[in-house]
Amino acid sequence: MTLFEKIVARQIPAQIVYEDDLVLAFRDINPQAPTHALIVPKKAIPRIAEASSEDHALLGHLLLKAAEVAAKVGLNENGYRLVINNGRDGGESVPHLHCHILGGRALEWPPG
Ligand code: AMP
């Protein structure tokens, strides 16, 4: 079971901000911005590079819900960034697809 499957199964605690049948959103344990949440599909797709066409609707749902969660945690007015890290150079550390929702300060571009 991946770390995020354990959070979905409530085996590891998390500050959950949104849940439905397909996705779970919760606060990042090591926030990189004043507001930092993650949204994950309950299905354990390791990373975006391994998603397939059968995940088409799930990925659309994930992205739409990421925007809803961003609004719910107060980021709509000033904006926010959605990030998906893929593989070693992308900075991926948990092999369960997740989208970062970051905001609450002006974020730099390009990323480091
Ligand atoms: P990534 O580096 O893109 O794979 O992102 C993984 C993220 O998961 C990091 O931002 C971690 O801080 C976060 N993380 C790791 N363990 C937990 C946990 N138990 N609860 C919440 N977030 C976590």
Side-chain angles (χ1 to χ4, degrees):
M1 233 179 175
T2 68
L3 175 64
F4 293 160
E5 282 179 291
K6 289 180 184 168
I7 290 177
V8 169
R10 308 302 201 268
Q11 291 176 11
I12 292 177
Q15 276 186 268
I16 292 169
V17 293
Y18 177 78
E19 180 170 29
D20 64 24
D21 289 351
L22 297 175
V23 300
L24 184 76
F26 51 92
R27 304 273 179 183
D28 196 291
I29 204 167
N30 182 23
Q32 301 302 311
T35 300
H36 186 176
L38 302 172
I39 184 164
V40 310
K42 290 185 173 179
K43 176 181 175 183
I45 300 166
R47 59 194 56 82
I48 192 66
E50 280 159 60
S52 71
S53 56
E54 79 182 28
D55 301 315
H56 184 102
L58 174 59
L59 295 178
H61 183 78
L62 184 83
L63 203 50
L64 288 169
K65 291 300 170 183
E68 274 187 33
V69 169
K72 188 175 179 185
V73 298
L75 298 178
N76 240 6
E77 189 176 341
N78 290 333
Y80 54 89
R81 186 172 294 164
L82 303 180
V83 174
I84 295 175
N85 296 325
N86 188 98
R88 188 190 59 195
D89 283 0
E92 173 201 314
S93 63
V94 178
H96 180 135
L97 179 62
H98 50 281
C99 177
H100 296 259
I101 301 164
L102 294 146
R105 66 173 168 84
L107 299 166
E108 291 173 15
W109 191 264

